[in-house]
Amino acid sequence: MKRIRALHLFPLCLLFLAACHHDSKPVGHEFIGKWVNIESPSDSVVIAPDGNKFVITDGIHALVATYDDGALTPNNGKGKCSYLKVTDTMDCGGVTYKRAS
């Protein structure tokens, strides 16, 4: 009897885990969107997901970036982009961006 009960609970547990995982946000979600340079508002970038990578565009150029250890690393070898949750800003290569509203 206990074995039958355990067999019924296993699919229920799998369903619960799948439902919880479905509601989770994708890795790097905090970077997605339009960002405006705080010091130069005419400078903006858009970050969009592309499979397991991200594309950073400024309207002219596009860089592919990978997400690693909480930061985006562009393929141009010029630093990383770090998200600062407290201020909802992003630092990319020494330039601070705020999320566009």
Side-chain angles (χ1 to χ4, degrees):
M1 186 67 146
K2 288 182 183 181
R3 183 176 180 182
I4 292 173
R5 194 174 304 157
L7 288 175
H8 288 287
L9 287 177
F10 183 73
L12 183 63
C13 289
L14 285 178
L15 181 62
F16 177 76
L17 288 174
C20 289
H21 181 71
H22 178 71
D23 291 337
S24 64
K25 295 180 179 177
V27 171
H29 72 279
E30 64 273 20
F31 291 99
I32 297 171
K34 184 175 181 178
W35 297 87
V36 178
N37 183 333
I38 288 176
E39 293 182 13
S40 179
S42 62
D43 172 27
S44 65
V45 296
V46 175
I47 301 177
D50 184 22
N52 62 347
K53 297 188 184 289
F54 294 84
V55 178
I56 304 171
T57 58
D58 65 2
I60 299 171
H61 306 95
L63 294 172
V64 175
T66 56
Y67 182 85
D68 183 41
D69 199 24
L72 291 182
T73 304
N75 64 354
N76 66 355
K78 295 185 179 180
K80 293 186 176 199
C81 296
S82 302
Y83 176 70
L84 306 167
K85 185 176 183 174
V86 174
T87 57
D88 194 29
T89 58
M90 173 179 66
D91 179 71
C92 263
V95 178
T96 303
Y97 292 88
K98 66 178 179 177
R99 192 178 301 277
S101 41

